[in-house]
Amino acid sequence: MDRPTQSTVFGPARRRAAAFGAMLGLAAFGLPALAQTKASAATGAPAPTARATFAGGCFWCVEADFDKVPGVLSTTSGYTGGSTQNPTYEQVSRKSTGHAEVVQIVFDPAKVSYETLLAKYWRSIDPTTVDRQFCDAGSPYRTEIYTHDAAQLEAARRSLAELQKTKPFAEPIVTRIEQAGAFWPAEDYHQDYYLKNPVRYRYYRASCGRDARLEALWGKP
């Protein structure tokens, strides 16, 4: 069976983004210089690296947010937390495999700490909603921190406890912390989506209300 195309697997808001691009007669296009810059950062001189894995709703948006953080070497959209081996986007979107959309981050601990990534993560999500982020609903869009070792687990728990005391909103935080398991990279067309399809990406992000809700929760960035 052929792998489904982008147009057949997008959620409603993502289909609107694709339709908007089509309406303007804009084909999906890449930004080679930016993509190459990102790739070269990930393949520079050998240095100790670490991984972080976060579920924060649409992985296009999480990837775009973390690519801006100095010290982040690469980001990969994918799936984790489910039972199906090597799931497809279509399978995950049916909400039957247990997977979440996640981004796995490779970073240089000498340039950015895991605690800094946690602080960025919290302010990039709505931690008050269960199985939902902005316009995307269902278990694949839950918020979850997947820790890779005992130090990350301790740091994540400490970060959550501190946030419970200092959060600028009244709603309880429902984001969970779990041990990282198998990670399956998403299909190629999801990787660097915001670079390859900037108009469609911006339309999706705005129509989904992500930044408006983040500002309401956390204040202006």
Side-chain angles (χ1 to χ4, degrees):
M1 179 176 179
D2 292 337
R3 173 169 287 175
T5 64
Q6 296 180 44
S7 61
T8 61
V9 298
F10 285 173
R14 298 195 204 188
R15 283 196 296 270
R16 288 197 298 272
F20 178 74
M23 179 183 70
L24 294 179
L26 297 172
F29 57 91
L31 299 180
L34 289 177
Q36 289 171 6
T37 297
K38 179 178 174 183
S40 63
T43 58
T49 61
R51 288 179 298 162
T53 303
F54 299 130
C58 170
F59 44 30
W60 298 347
C61 299
V62 178
E63 188 179 82
D65 289 342
F66 278 93
D67 272 347
K68 298 179 179 73
V69 178
V72 167
L73 304 178
S74 68
T75 55
T76 304
S77 292
Y79 316 108
T80 199
S83 56
T84 301
Q85 300 289 299
N86 197 23
T88 65
Y89 180 74
E90 183 179 41
Q91 290 173 319
V92 174
S93 296
R94 291 175 185 151
K95 307 176 180 64
S96 60
T97 69
H99 290 88
E101 286 196 12
V102 300
V103 170
Q104 189 162 102
I105 300 161
V106 177
F107 64 98
D108 181 351
K111 296 181 179 179
V112 62
S113 67
Y114 184 66
E115 288 77 6
T116 297
L117 296 180
L118 286 169
K120 175 67 174 177
Y121 170 72
W122 289 121
R123 285 156 182 78
S124 299
I125 63 166
D126 178 351
T128 71
T129 55
V130 177
D131 290 346
R132 184 182 185 92
Q133 281 295 281
F134 317 105
C135 67
D136 295 316
S139 59
Y141 303 105
R142 62 188 180 267
T143 58
E144 203 151 6
I145 298 169
Y146 293 93
T147 60
H148 290 269
D149 55 36
Q152 286 192 358
L153 177 59
E154 180 181 355
R157 287 175 172 170
R158 187 169 58 246
S159 177
L160 173 58
E162 180 63 24
L163 193 63
Q164 296 281 17
K165 300 175 185 176
T166 61
K167 59 186 173 70
F169 46 83
E171 300 98 317
I173 294 172
V174 298
T175 302
R176 298 190 303 176
I177 301 169
E178 300 286 348
Q179 183 178 354
F183 169 80
W184 307 98
E187 294 81 350
D188 287 345
Y189 66 82
H190 286 301
Q191 308 301 334
D192 296 326
Y193 188 87
Y194 76 102
L195 293 175
K196 298 172 183 173
N197 303 276
V199 174
R200 297 180 188 184
Y201 169 73
R202 288 194 296 268
Y203 175 77
Y204 161 73
R205 184 163 181 142
S207 64
C208 204
R210 190 178 188 106
D211 292 322
R213 175 59 177 163
L214 290 177
E215 184 173 328
L217 280 170
W218 301 103
K220 291 188 176 181

